[in-house]
Amino acid sequence: MERRIIRGAPGRRIGRGKPPRDTTAHDHGWAADLRFAVHCAVALLGLLLAVDAAAGHLTWPRALLWTGLAALLGAVLVPPRVRAGAGWLSCRGLLRERTVRTDRLVSARWSDGVAQRLVLRDADGCRIEVDPAVFLANPALWHRLDEDARGCVERGTLRCGATALRQLADRIDRGHARTVFTISGLE
């Protein structure tokens, strides 16, 4: 039996707006964010080399130092790649990929700190942190998480975090309503 994966173009709805059960949703803005990180690193490298050359201090060791500094900036700015399928959500960084079973969630909470993150934990003890803006920009990812989280609430496995998920759902709904009003000229 052949398994077909259907991928829709960004902004195109499949069926009634819900992705088919056997597809993988991913962050459509990831490639643009990656390009931005690379451009920032290259711009920093060019600027550092130009300033050093203009001052007359550019040597091979200094050029290697500036290249390393630019590579470090690029590594810090590379965004995690978020993907979701039926029952799972993964976040792949530079060094490793973390996956959480969204059909077996036990907690969802907001992390403390400057950058707000949604922290999800499953029954196996796996933990993942995701920027809520990823869900706002990618309705298919949010639909996957929301569908599985609702199942966890119904089964009673999601012990804490229904409020955090409801807050995120409200934030996403407000963002989508604002977009609809802006596009239709009602705002």
Side-chain angles (χ1 to χ4, degrees), residues 26-27 30-31 78-83 90-93 97-98:
H26 61 278
D27 181 6
W30 180 80
V78 168
R81 186 170 198 165
V82 180
R83 297 180 311 129
S90 73
C91 187
R92 182 177 181 90
E97 181 173 13
R98 291 183 179 208

Side-chain angles (χ1 to χ4, degrees), residues 2 6 10-11 44 53 56 68 71 78 87 96 107 116 126 143-144 147:
E2 180 182 79
I6 303 168
L44 178 67
V78 168
R96 66 180 176 191
S107 74
Q116 194 173 33
C126 298
H143 175 72
R144 291 277 186 213
E147 186 178 81

Side-chain angles (χ1 to χ4, degrees), residues 59-100:
T59 61
W60 283 108
R62 289 176 69 98
L64 287 175
L65 174 70
W66 300 142
T67 303
L69 185 64
L72 180 64
L73 175 70
V76 167
L77 292 179
V78 168
R81 186 170 198 165
V82 180
R83 297 180 311 129
W88 58 272
L89 179 77
S90 73
C91 187
R92 182 177 181 90
L94 277 179
L95 301 177
R96 66 180 176 191
E97 181 173 13
R98 291 183 179 208
T99 303
V100 70

Side-chain angles (χ1 to χ4, degrees), residues 109-166:
R109 64 177 177 83
W110 294 109
S111 68
D112 295 332
V114 176
Q116 194 173 33
R117 301 274 189 242
L118 180 66
V119 181
L120 303 170
R121 187 178 305 270
D122 65 9
D124 299 329
C126 298
R127 179 179 174 268
I128 192 172
E129 293 184 22
V130 183
D131 185 0
V134 172
F135 295 118
L136 183 61
N138 300 285
L141 281 172
W142 169 244
H143 175 72
R144 291 277 186 213
L145 175 61
D146 186 47
E147 186 178 81
D148 289 337
R150 286 177 194 261
C152 290
V153 169
E154 289 171 6
R155 288 188 302 275
T157 60
L158 186 61
R159 291 181 231 137
C160 66
T163 304
L165 291 173
R166 191 172 41 251

